[in-house]
Amino acid sequence: MTPVLLTLQAFGPFAGTQTLDFSALGKSPLFLINGPTGAGKSSILDALCFALYGQTTGNEREPAQMRCDQAAASLLTEVTLDFRLRGTRYRVRRVPQQERPKARGEGTTTQQPEAQLWRLNADGEVDECLVARKVSDATAEVQALLGLDAGQFRQVMVLPQGQFRELLLAGSAEREQIFSQLFQTRLFSRIEERLRERANRITREVSDHRQRMQGILDASGVESEAVLEEALAELAPQIDAAKTALTNARAERQRAERAEHSGHEHQALFDQQRKLETAHAAHVQDEARIDNAQGRLKAHEQTRTLAAPFNARHQTQQAAESAAQTLERDTATVNLRREENARAQQTLGAARERHDGLAALRERHNTLSHALDQRRALTRHAQDSHAASQTWRTLHQQYADAEAQQAGIRQQGEELGAVVEKAQAEQQTLAGSVDALHHLNALHRQRQTLAEHDARRPPLVESLDTAHADAEQRTRDAARGKTHATEQAMRWHQGQAAWLARTLEPNAPCPVCGGLEHPAPAVADAVTVTKEAVEAAGYAHEQALNDEHAAKQHVQLLSQRLEQHDVQRREYVEALGDWASQPLEAVAQACGDKQRDAARHAALAEQIAEQHKTLAALRNGWSTQDKALKQLEPALKDAELKHQRLEAQCEQLRNALPEGQPTLEVLGEQLDSITGDITQREHAWQAAQDGAQQAATELARAEAAQDGAQYRASSAEEATQQADTDWQQALSQSVFDDEHGFLHARLDDAESERLSAEVEHYQHTLAKLDGQLDASRARLTGLAPPDVDALHEKAVQARLWETQENETWRKLDARHNQLEHTQKRLVDAHREQQALEAEYRVWGTLSEVANGRTGKRVSLQRFVLGVLLDDVLIQASARLVRMSRGRYQLVRRDEPTGGNSASGLELDVADTYTGKNRPVATLSGGESFMAALSLALGLSDVVQAYAGGIQLDTLFIDEGFGSLDQDALDQAIATLSELQMGGRMIGIISHVSELKEQMPLRVDVSTSRRGSTVAIHGV
């Protein structure tokens, strides 16, 4: 970054507007900023830093305190800087918060801070606005362009008065932050973070996996895998026994059910025999009724010979009666049709009289129709005239409304502009709340993880204490088992000796020692120990040793878990820093506070955006109304002319109408009345004609029907008399005495069919029952009635036994399946556990190495920065050796820093006079200035050399040269001159008179009662 033009207004000691054109100093100048104390030399550097970052170089004064007290009240305090970066020119302008006179009225108002950033073209004119007003946006954009924040800018490009040793004495962590920004090594930091997160995740997965394995055992009700194996071994014989018992019970149940089923079948046969016998007895009781029905059927058969003459007489009687009724009905119809025909002739005469008057009515209809057309033409013109009048009034009102709306939009825009300005001021105070919220949320999640981690430690410690106690108990048990096994072996040997003693005989050789004398033969104890007891004691001792070994392994496993737990906690605490000691509620409260600020900031952003949209809409609305007004003017004039033209045409039509003519409504009513009368008369005439013709036709049809009915009635009467004669002759020749006897014996078809079916059904059912009884008696031969209740009880008991055995087997089988499933899950879990541990051996080692937790505690990024720092120190030492006359060199400290703090970027100074390295803080004031200047120049060289690094084209040094002797001063000036020839701009602020003599190119700062001024000399 190279400054080009600096403009100060009412800033610091500068009461007016002062412009410092750095381009006038030439390309890559080395110049002196000279002036008396308090004139404003350091204020120039403050203005540079304020224009870029909104802060002063020392960050000791607030921007609002930089206003010049000598400046005019109407003159705003502001700084504008044009600078060049990578061939592109930019301009930044900043205004701090200050009080200014109100635009209207008396008093002052608060001017809120604002900032603008522009990209300029080759002619120095504005090409693009990057930031319009927001201070935080301008700071972020400048920081992104330069690659440095305000603190780093003060350490590497501006060495403020009294603070030039900051970079030299910075700690390893602070130097890491500066160098990582300068050399863009954040990639290595992200690698460290990713490796640490991966290792921590695997550690948590291992811990969680172990908890899941224990949960699998707990879910099956077993304490360990050994207990699981024992339970499976015990269940196998129990399941086999349960299966055998279930098979026996099932066979017994099947036998009982078959016996019960056979008993029910035999009982059903006996029940069926009884039912058949009862049905047969009930059936034969209907024999007398069936005999009567057979007699009635025989008499009915004798009536069949008389059925033809009887039916013929009956049918002829019915036909005669029907013909008489038809004749009577047709006679009445003829009379009715004659009356209707007379009425139709009367109606036809009346209709003929009305039809004769139609000619006069049609002539009157034509006259009224013509008058009505004239009236309608006048009405249409009057309506068109009224519509034109309404259109003109509407357009006139629209024009007035548009003017009023345009005025309202102008007022709304002014009011909304004031609201937007107030919201932007509040939003500026909340800048940076979103980034702070993200940072606090991350800290809250880490602090919550730490709390959960701490909550898991007490149960782990308690388990370890329990395991220690269990291991000690197992050790004591093993010792007791060993003692018991030894005692049992000794007793067994003593018992064997006593047994041999009982076989000894006097003067016979001993089978053990061969002696003939036996002075003290062994005596058996009261309790005899067998060899099996000795083996059992040895087995118990061996089992106790195995339990002791397993308990100690468990203690070791829990100790490793606790150690891993503590290591993870230290990592969490290191990552949290000071927040690790704060309660979780405090972190949550801080997050909540910042969440509200961020929410308010976002709400203000949305509000301002919506208000800007509203302002744009208001501007569009104003333009729309203006266009509408211009468009309405010709339409308004056309509407007025059209109204006047139509009104004149209406007046002409009114004059053409005859006097006394009815209104349009009256004419329409008269015309409608005449039209209706004509239509009604025409319809009545046609209807009368149709009615007369139809009445005559109906009368002729009725008379013809009457003649036919008269003939049919006479024929029917003759046929009736002949049929009665035939019936009487047939009856006298039959077995019946009279007609009454015939009718009594005769049955209708339904009754005859019913009686026949009843007789047939009785005979069929009787034969069927006889056959079923014979078959049933044959099946029951040799059978005795069974005891059904006893057979049912035996089957119930057999089913109950099977149910109990099945439940026993099912429970054992379910438990066996559960344990086998648990065993399979544990096998899979062990496989996953091994995979996780193998993964951690890779990622955990990489994380520890990359994050500096091994060896010299140097992280990956610090290792890379250490290499870069070595390059910087080579360049810096070359200058420091010359300025210190060969005494000092800057070197990087090899020994790690004590404690847990990371190291790798600490600086020492190599003193050739003593041959030892010592901290840079032990240098004197002048020596420190030379070392700091050399470090800044070396850093500038290396940063420039690395592709993608930050461009350090400028260096400002405020004081410090007064602490140098003449020789060191000459060396420093020579070094700066060499740097200038390498293409750098170097500005020096100093009171040393020798510098003024050696540096003819100067920026002189003068002071007076009216404020300070600047001027360039030596150009």
Side-chain angles (χ1 to χ4, degrees), residues 154 174 371 908 926 952:
R154 289 193 294 265
E174 186 178 1
D908 283 340
L952 305 180

Side-chain angles (χ1 to χ4, degrees), residues 423-440:
Q424 287 176 336
E426 182 182 358
Q427 186 188 30
Q428 182 62 37
T429 62
L430 298 175
S433 58
V434 176
D435 295 336
L437 175 61
H438 293 329
H439 179 64
L440 281 174

